[in-house]
Amino acid sequence: MSAEKELNVNLLDILDLLERLERADQDGGYEKLKSKIAFEKKCIERKLYQKPLLNID
């Protein structure tokens, strides 16, 4: 994947995250938003620390 495509994918992921947080805020206010932020943080950490896939040819 080219660097530009990878950057675009990362930016789209961030936009998706922001939209989910905005919806949580609209749906349930502060407590819902706080819970959603904690959940999203766990998801990001999971992606960050996962081992890369093995490429077996």
Side-chain angles (χ1 to χ4, degrees):
M1 185 181 300
S2 75
E4 183 179 357
K5 284 185 180 182
E6 188 171 337
L7 178 61
N8 286 343
V9 167
N10 291 336
L11 291 174
L12 288 171
D13 286 343
I14 293 168
L15 279 175
D16 288 343
L17 171 61
L18 291 173
E19 287 180 15
R20 289 193 299 269
L21 293 174
E22 286 175 341
R23 287 184 182 183
D25 182 43
Q26 290 171 352
D27 292 344
Y30 176 74
E31 289 301 320
K32 177 82 174 188
L33 182 59
K34 190 173 157 184
S35 173
K36 185 67 173 171
I37 289 171
F39 174 76
E40 294 295 343
K41 181 180 177 185
K42 286 180 185 177
C43 291
I44 291 169
E45 288 172 345
R46 197 174 305 126
K47 285 182 182 179
L48 184 62
Y49 297 117
Q50 73 183 9
K51 293 182 181 179
L53 298 176
L54 296 176
N55 289 330
I56 300 174
D57 295 89

